[in-house]
Short mmCIF file of all heavy atoms in Angstrom, two decimals:
data_model
loop_
_atom_site.label_atom_id
_atom_site.label_comp_id
_atom_site.label_asym_id
_atom_site.label_seq_id
_atom_site.Cartn_x
_atom_site.Cartn_y
_atom_site.Cartn_z
N GLN A 1 0.80 -1.19 0.05
CA GLN A 1 0.05 -0.01 0.05
C GLN A 1 0.85 1.30 0.06
O GLN A 1 0.34 2.32 -0.26
CB GLN A 1 -0.99 0.03 1.15
CG GLN A 1 -0.28 0.10 2.62
CD GLN A 1 -0.10 -1.23 3.23
OE1 GLN A 1 0.26 -2.22 2.49
NE2 GLN A 1 -0.22 -1.29 4.53
N HIS A 2 2.14 1.13 0.33
CA HIS A 2 2.94 2.34 0.39
C HIS A 2 4.11 2.28 -0.79
O HIS A 2 4.79 3.31 -0.86
CB HIS A 2 3.72 2.47 1.73
CG HIS A 2 2.71 2.66 2.83
ND1 HIS A 2 2.73 1.79 3.96
CD2 HIS A 2 1.73 3.51 3.01
CE1 HIS A 2 1.69 2.24 4.83
NE2 HIS A 2 1.08 3.25 4.22
N LEU A 3 4.15 1.29 -1.42
CA LEU A 3 5.25 1.17 -2.46
C LEU A 3 5.33 2.32 -3.46
O LEU A 3 6.32 2.82 -3.78
CB LEU A 3 5.01 -0.12 -3.27
CG LEU A 3 6.07 -0.45 -4.42
CD1 LEU A 3 7.53 -0.55 -3.70
CD2 LEU A 3 5.77 -1.57 -5.20
N MET A 4 4.15 2.84 -3.84
CA MET A 4 4.14 3.81 -4.94
C MET A 4 3.90 5.22 -4.45
O MET A 4 3.60 6.18 -5.13
CB MET A 4 3.03 3.51 -5.99
CG MET A 4 3.24 2.19 -6.74
SD MET A 4 1.98 1.78 -7.93
CE MET A 4 2.41 2.95 -9.25
N GLN A 5 4.11 5.37 -3.14
CA GLN A 5 4.04 6.78 -2.54
C GLN A 5 5.29 7.47 -2.42
O GLN A 5 6.40 6.82 -2.66
CB GLN A 5 3.42 6.67 -1.14
CG GLN A 5 1.97 6.22 -1.15
CD GLN A 5 1.35 6.18 0.30
OE1 GLN A 5 2.02 5.74 1.18
NE2 GLN A 5 0.05 6.60 0.41
N GLY A 6 5.38 8.77 -2.28
CA GLY A 6 6.61 9.46 -2.02
C GLY A 6 7.03 9.34 -0.59
O GLY A 6 6.44 8.63 0.30
N HIS A 7 8.24 9.86 -0.30
CA HIS A 7 8.76 9.95 1.01
C HIS A 7 8.16 11.02 1.83
O HIS A 7 8.89 12.07 2.05
CB HIS A 7 10.32 9.97 1.01
CG HIS A 7 10.89 8.77 0.53
ND1 HIS A 7 11.04 7.60 1.18
CD2 HIS A 7 11.49 8.54 -0.75
CE1 HIS A 7 11.70 6.69 0.38
NE2 HIS A 7 11.99 7.20 -0.70
N TYR A 8 6.92 10.95 2.23
CA TYR A 8 6.24 12.10 2.82
C TYR A 8 6.30 12.16 4.31
O TYR A 8 5.89 13.10 4.94
CB TYR A 8 4.68 11.96 2.34
CG TYR A 8 3.94 10.76 2.98
CD1 TYR A 8 3.23 10.95 4.20
CD2 TYR A 8 3.98 9.52 2.34
CE1 TYR A 8 2.66 9.81 4.72
CE2 TYR A 8 3.30 8.42 2.92
CZ TYR A 8 2.65 8.61 4.10
OH TYR A 8 2.00 7.49 4.60
N GLU A 9 6.72 11.08 4.97
CA GLU A 9 6.68 11.02 6.42
C GLU A 9 7.77 11.98 7.05
O GLU A 9 8.81 12.14 6.48
CB GLU A 9 6.96 9.62 7.03
CG GLU A 9 5.92 8.57 6.49
CD GLU A 9 6.33 7.97 5.16
OE1 GLU A 9 7.26 8.39 4.48
OE2 GLU A 9 5.70 6.96 4.79
N LYS A 10 7.49 12.55 8.11
CA LYS A 10 8.47 13.32 8.88
C LYS A 10 8.21 13.31 10.30
O LYS A 10 7.00 13.25 10.79
CB LYS A 10 8.48 14.75 8.27
CG LYS A 10 7.28 15.53 8.51
CD LYS A 10 7.36 16.93 7.91
CE LYS A 10 6.13 17.71 8.06
NZ LYS A 10 5.81 18.02 9.46
N PRO A 11 9.21 13.46 11.16
CA PRO A 11 8.97 13.54 12.63
C PRO A 11 8.38 14.84 13.04
O PRO A 11 8.74 15.85 12.39
CB PRO A 11 10.36 13.32 13.20
CG PRO A 11 11.34 13.76 12.13
CD PRO A 11 10.67 13.45 10.83
N PRO A 12 7.56 14.88 14.15
CA PRO A 12 7.17 13.79 14.88
C PRO A 12 6.20 12.88 14.14
O PRO A 12 5.26 13.48 13.50
CB PRO A 12 6.51 14.44 16.08
CG PRO A 12 6.10 15.82 15.61
CD PRO A 12 7.08 16.18 14.57
N TYR A 13 6.34 11.58 14.23
CA TYR A 13 5.52 10.70 13.47
C TYR A 13 4.21 10.36 14.10
O TYR A 13 4.03 10.56 15.35
CB TYR A 13 6.22 9.28 13.32
CG TYR A 13 7.59 9.46 12.63
CD1 TYR A 13 8.81 9.17 13.33
CD2 TYR A 13 7.79 9.78 11.31
CE1 TYR A 13 10.00 9.28 12.68
CE2 TYR A 13 8.92 9.92 10.66
CZ TYR A 13 10.08 9.63 11.39
OH TYR A 13 11.29 9.74 10.82
N THR A 14 3.25 10.02 13.28
CA THR A 14 1.93 9.61 13.82
C THR A 14 1.89 8.10 13.98
O THR A 14 2.94 7.45 13.69
CB THR A 14 0.76 9.99 12.83
OG1 THR A 14 0.92 9.13 11.60
CG2 THR A 14 0.78 11.43 12.42
N GLU A 15 0.86 7.57 14.49
CA GLU A 15 0.82 6.11 14.69
C GLU A 15 1.00 5.38 13.39
O GLU A 15 1.52 4.23 13.34
CB GLU A 15 -0.49 5.73 15.29
CG GLU A 15 -0.67 4.27 15.68
CD GLU A 15 -1.96 3.95 16.42
OE1 GLU A 15 -2.59 4.88 16.86
OE2 GLU A 15 -2.31 2.78 16.46
N ASN A 16 0.57 6.03 12.22
CA ASN A 16 0.68 5.38 10.88
C ASN A 16 2.11 5.55 10.27
O ASN A 16 2.80 4.78 9.83
CB ASN A 16 -0.39 5.79 9.98
CG ASN A 16 -1.71 5.37 10.40
OD1 ASN A 16 -1.81 4.22 10.91
ND2 ASN A 16 -2.74 6.15 10.15
N THR A 17 2.56 6.88 10.35
CA THR A 17 3.79 7.20 9.67
C THR A 17 5.04 6.60 10.38
O THR A 17 6.05 6.49 9.66
CB THR A 17 3.99 8.65 9.53
OG1 THR A 17 4.01 9.36 10.76
CG2 THR A 17 2.84 9.21 8.61
N ILE A 18 4.94 6.36 11.62
CA ILE A 18 6.06 5.74 12.34
C ILE A 18 6.37 4.39 11.78
O ILE A 18 7.52 3.89 11.90
CB ILE A 18 5.79 5.71 13.85
CG1 ILE A 18 7.13 5.47 14.60
CG2 ILE A 18 4.86 4.49 14.20
CD1 ILE A 18 7.07 5.54 16.05
N ARG A 19 5.43 3.81 11.03
CA ARG A 19 5.72 2.41 10.35
C ARG A 19 5.84 2.64 8.89
O ARG A 19 6.76 2.06 8.22
CB ARG A 19 4.45 1.53 10.58
CG ARG A 19 4.46 1.05 11.99
CD ARG A 19 3.17 0.28 12.42
NE ARG A 19 3.23 -0.26 13.77
CZ ARG A 19 2.99 0.47 14.87
NH1 ARG A 19 2.64 1.75 14.72
NH2 ARG A 19 3.08 -0.10 16.03
N SER A 20 5.03 3.49 8.16
CA SER A 20 5.19 3.64 6.78
C SER A 20 6.54 4.27 6.35
O SER A 20 7.01 4.04 5.21
CB SER A 20 4.10 4.47 6.22
OG SER A 20 4.10 5.79 6.73
N VAL A 21 7.20 4.98 7.30
CA VAL A 21 8.42 5.59 6.97
C VAL A 21 9.56 4.64 6.65
O VAL A 21 10.47 4.96 5.89
CB VAL A 21 8.87 6.50 8.12
CG1 VAL A 21 9.27 5.67 9.39
CG2 VAL A 21 10.10 7.48 7.82
N TYR A 22 9.42 3.41 7.07
CA TYR A 22 10.35 2.42 6.72
C TYR A 22 9.92 1.39 5.60
O TYR A 22 10.58 0.40 5.39
CB TYR A 22 10.96 1.57 7.98
CG TYR A 22 9.91 0.95 8.77
CD1 TYR A 22 9.24 -0.19 8.36
CD2 TYR A 22 9.65 1.45 10.10
CE1 TYR A 22 8.26 -0.81 9.17
CE2 TYR A 22 8.63 0.74 10.84
CZ TYR A 22 7.93 -0.35 10.42
OH TYR A 22 7.19 -0.97 11.19
N HIS A 23 8.96 1.74 4.92
CA HIS A 23 8.46 0.92 3.82
C HIS A 23 9.10 1.36 2.56
O HIS A 23 9.18 2.52 2.29
CB HIS A 23 6.91 1.07 3.75
CG HIS A 23 6.19 0.39 4.88
ND1 HIS A 23 4.87 0.66 5.25
CD2 HIS A 23 6.68 -0.49 5.90
CE1 HIS A 23 4.55 -0.01 6.32
NE2 HIS A 23 5.54 -0.68 6.67
N ILE A 24 9.54 0.35 1.79
CA ILE A 24 10.30 0.68 0.60
C ILE A 24 9.34 1.39 -0.46
O ILE A 24 8.10 1.24 -0.41
CB ILE A 24 10.94 -0.54 -0.03
CG1 ILE A 24 9.92 -1.58 -0.57
CG2 ILE A 24 11.92 -1.19 0.93
CD1 ILE A 24 10.48 -2.73 -1.28
N ARG A 25 9.95 2.18 -1.38
CA ARG A 25 9.21 2.94 -2.40
C ARG A 25 9.70 2.53 -3.80
O ARG A 25 10.90 2.14 -3.99
CB ARG A 25 9.42 4.43 -2.13
CG ARG A 25 9.02 4.95 -0.78
CD ARG A 25 7.56 4.67 -0.52
NE ARG A 25 7.00 5.58 0.37
CZ ARG A 25 6.78 5.52 1.79
NH1 ARG A 25 7.27 4.33 2.29
NH2 ARG A 25 6.16 6.34 2.46
N ASN A 26 8.82 2.78 -4.73
CA ASN A 26 9.10 2.38 -6.11
C ASN A 26 10.29 3.23 -6.66
O ASN A 26 10.93 2.80 -7.64
CB ASN A 26 7.86 2.51 -7.03
CG ASN A 26 7.26 3.92 -7.04
OD1 ASN A 26 7.64 4.79 -6.26
ND2 ASN A 26 6.39 4.03 -8.05
N LEU A 27 10.49 4.46 -6.15
CA LEU A 27 11.63 5.27 -6.67
C LEU A 27 12.97 4.50 -6.48
O LEU A 27 13.76 4.51 -7.40
CB LEU A 27 11.70 6.63 -5.99
CG LEU A 27 12.89 7.49 -6.25
CD1 LEU A 27 12.88 7.87 -7.71
CD2 LEU A 27 12.85 8.73 -5.39
N GLU A 28 13.21 3.94 -5.27
CA GLU A 28 14.44 3.25 -5.09
C GLU A 28 14.61 1.97 -5.88
O GLU A 28 15.63 1.66 -6.36
CB GLU A 28 14.62 2.91 -3.57
CG GLU A 28 15.12 4.09 -2.75
CD GLU A 28 14.07 5.22 -2.60
OE1 GLU A 28 12.81 4.89 -2.31
OE2 GLU A 28 14.44 6.36 -2.81
N ILE A 29 13.51 1.27 -6.13
CA ILE A 29 13.48 0.11 -6.95
C ILE A 29 13.80 0.49 -8.34
O ILE A 29 14.59 -0.15 -9.09
CB ILE A 29 12.08 -0.65 -6.99
CG1 ILE A 29 11.74 -0.98 -5.57
CG2 ILE A 29 12.10 -1.88 -7.74
CD1 ILE A 29 12.73 -1.91 -4.83
N PHE A 30 13.12 1.58 -8.87
CA PHE A 30 13.41 2.03 -10.17
C PHE A 30 14.85 2.39 -10.32
O PHE A 30 15.49 2.14 -11.37
CB PHE A 30 12.52 3.28 -10.48
CG PHE A 30 12.68 3.88 -11.93
CD1 PHE A 30 12.01 3.30 -12.94
CD2 PHE A 30 13.41 4.96 -11.97
CE1 PHE A 30 12.19 3.83 -14.27
CE2 PHE A 30 13.53 5.50 -13.37
CZ PHE A 30 12.92 5.00 -14.35
N ARG A 31 15.39 3.17 -9.42
CA ARG A 31 16.80 3.54 -9.53
C ARG A 31 17.76 2.30 -9.60
O ARG A 31 18.71 2.31 -10.27
CB ARG A 31 17.13 4.45 -8.36
CG ARG A 31 16.63 5.90 -8.54
CD ARG A 31 16.79 6.72 -7.23
NE ARG A 31 16.61 8.14 -7.54
CZ ARG A 31 16.48 9.16 -6.61
NH1 ARG A 31 16.54 8.84 -5.42
NH2 ARG A 31 16.40 10.35 -6.97
N LEU A 32 17.48 1.40 -8.67
CA LEU A 32 18.35 0.21 -8.62
C LEU A 32 18.36 -0.58 -9.90
O LEU A 32 19.41 -1.24 -10.28
CB LEU A 32 18.06 -0.66 -7.40
CG LEU A 32 18.41 -0.09 -6.04
CD1 LEU A 32 17.69 -0.91 -4.93
CD2 LEU A 32 19.92 -0.09 -5.84
N LYS A 33 17.20 -0.50 -10.55
CA LYS A 33 17.13 -1.24 -11.84
C LYS A 33 17.94 -0.58 -12.92
O LYS A 33 18.08 -1.14 -14.00
CB LYS A 33 15.60 -1.40 -12.31
CG LYS A 33 14.90 -2.39 -11.53
CD LYS A 33 13.47 -2.52 -12.03
CE LYS A 33 12.79 -3.71 -11.26
NZ LYS A 33 11.36 -3.93 -11.86
N GLN A 34 18.33 0.62 -12.81
CA GLN A 34 19.09 1.30 -13.82
C GLN A 34 20.61 0.98 -13.81
O GLN A 34 21.37 1.24 -14.71
CB GLN A 34 19.07 2.83 -13.64
CG GLN A 34 17.65 3.45 -13.49
CD GLN A 34 16.70 3.05 -14.61
OE1 GLN A 34 17.04 3.11 -15.77
NE2 GLN A 34 15.55 2.47 -14.28
N LEU A 35 20.99 0.18 -12.75
CA LEU A 35 22.37 -0.20 -12.66
C LEU A 35 22.72 -1.22 -13.71
O LEU A 35 21.98 -2.06 -14.07
CB LEU A 35 22.67 -0.81 -11.15
CG LEU A 35 22.57 0.20 -10.01
CD1 LEU A 35 22.57 -0.67 -8.69
CD2 LEU A 35 23.80 1.14 -10.00
N THR A 36 24.06 -1.15 -14.12
CA THR A 36 24.62 -2.18 -14.98
C THR A 36 25.77 -2.88 -14.30
O THR A 36 26.25 -2.35 -13.27
CB THR A 36 24.93 -1.63 -16.39
OG1 THR A 36 25.99 -0.58 -16.14
CG2 THR A 36 23.74 -1.03 -17.02
N GLY A 37 26.37 -3.87 -14.90
CA GLY A 37 27.63 -4.41 -14.41
C GLY A 37 27.28 -5.33 -13.21
O GLY A 37 26.12 -5.50 -12.74
N ASN A 38 28.32 -5.98 -12.72
CA ASN A 38 28.18 -6.96 -11.68
C ASN A 38 28.08 -6.28 -10.31
O ASN A 38 28.67 -5.31 -9.94
CB ASN A 38 29.42 -7.89 -11.57
CG ASN A 38 29.24 -8.94 -10.57
OD1 ASN A 38 28.28 -9.74 -10.62
ND2 ASN A 38 30.17 -9.08 -9.61
N ILE A 39 27.17 -6.81 -9.56
CA ILE A 39 27.01 -6.49 -8.08
C ILE A 39 27.51 -7.57 -7.26
O ILE A 39 26.99 -8.74 -7.38
CB ILE A 39 25.51 -6.09 -7.76
CG1 ILE A 39 25.04 -4.95 -8.53
CG2 ILE A 39 25.36 -5.76 -6.27
CD1 ILE A 39 23.56 -4.58 -8.43
N ASP A 40 28.46 -7.31 -6.42
CA ASP A 40 29.10 -8.52 -5.67
C ASP A 40 28.15 -8.82 -4.49
O ASP A 40 27.98 -10.04 -4.22
CB ASP A 40 30.45 -8.01 -5.22
CG ASP A 40 31.44 -7.75 -6.29
OD1 ASP A 40 31.67 -8.77 -7.06
OD2 ASP A 40 31.86 -6.68 -6.44
N ILE A 41 27.66 -7.81 -3.72
CA ILE A 41 26.91 -8.07 -2.59
C ILE A 41 25.61 -7.16 -2.65
O ILE A 41 25.81 -6.03 -2.89
CB ILE A 41 27.62 -7.83 -1.28
CG1 ILE A 41 28.84 -8.80 -1.16
CG2 ILE A 41 26.69 -7.89 -0.09
CD1 ILE A 41 29.75 -8.44 -0.02
#
């Protein structure tokens, strides 16, 4: 439910944002898919 949202959370967190703040977002997935070459780890 949070994958396609922006990084909108900020402290002080609410009962919801204190959890959604550590949910991954599609921006980071998209960026990592642009990498080429070997990734060791």
Side-chain angles (χ1 to χ4, degrees):
Q1 66 268 34
H2 296 126
L3 179 65
M4 299 182 69
Q5 294 181 322
H7 292 286
Y8 67 92
E9 301 89 350
K10 63 183 179 66
Y13 301 114
T14 67
E15 186 176 345
N16 292 324
T17 60
I18 198 172
R19 291 171 174 80
S20 65
V21 67
Y22 55 71
H23 294 161
I24 64 173
R25 301 304 207 263
N26 60 345
L27 173 61
E28 279 68 48
I29 303 300
F30 181 81
R31 283 171 163 169
L32 288 166
K33 284 185 176 180
Q34 311 306 311
L35 291 167
T36 62
N38 183 57
I39 298 173
D40 296 298
I41 295 173

